[in-house]
Amino acid sequence: MSNPAIRGLQLVNLDVRALALEHGATPETLRGNECAAVIPPKDSWSTEHMLIKNVPASLPDQIISYSVINLLKKIDKAIILGATLPQELLQPDELQLFLEDMCAKYGR
């Protein structure tokens, strides 16, 4: 199996596109380097950039929450951790602590 985090990101990307379409928005893959200033240039997750047009006001928060929670679930499932995961999006500081705890508990 490929890297569970990368595979999880690929699957969440597809799910976010479907979510956008369900809400009448239009996801679009960007081919340029428009996001270079905000994305680490050497990480493989940053190789695909997405723009979502015609976004309803409620969709960005829904996409963020969905993406974080489901990425964690997909990684957990791929590496068969069986970890207890948050069901709702944590605040940034809480999420950071959660991820650090996960790394300490399950990391090598």
Side-chain angles (χ1 to χ4, degrees):
M1 175 178 268
S2 65
N3 179 317
I6 300 299
R7 185 65 181 138
L9 285 167
Q10 292 168 338
L11 294 171
V12 168
N13 179 306
L14 295 174
D15 292 344
V16 166
R17 290 172 185 276
L19 186 61
L21 290 170
E22 287 173 15
H23 286 83
T26 306
E28 187 178 296
T29 300
L30 299 176
R31 301 287 178 208
N33 209 8
E34 294 85 354
C35 301
V38 295
I39 297 176
K42 295 183 181 172
D43 289 341
S44 58
W45 66 265
S46 65
T47 59
E48 184 173 332
H49 310 287
M50 182 188 339
L51 173 67
I52 303 176
K53 296 180 178 179
N54 304 318
V55 179
S58 64
L59 190 56
D61 287 339
Q62 189 175 353
I63 286 174
I64 291 167
S65 179
Y66 177 88
S67 297
V68 172
I69 296 299
N70 283 283
L71 176 59
L72 292 173
K73 287 179 181 179
K74 289 177 189 315
I75 293 170
D76 181 69
K77 185 177 179 180
I79 55 180
I80 314 169
L81 288 179
T84 301
L85 302 174
Q87 296 302 308
E88 295 181 6
L89 183 62
L90 301 173
Q91 293 298 313
D93 291 343
E94 294 171 314
L95 181 60
Q96 181 69 35
L97 288 174
F98 173 80
L99 294 173
E100 289 172 0
D101 288 345
M102 292 287 288
C103 290
K105 184 174 181 179
Y106 296 107
R108 293 183 189 169

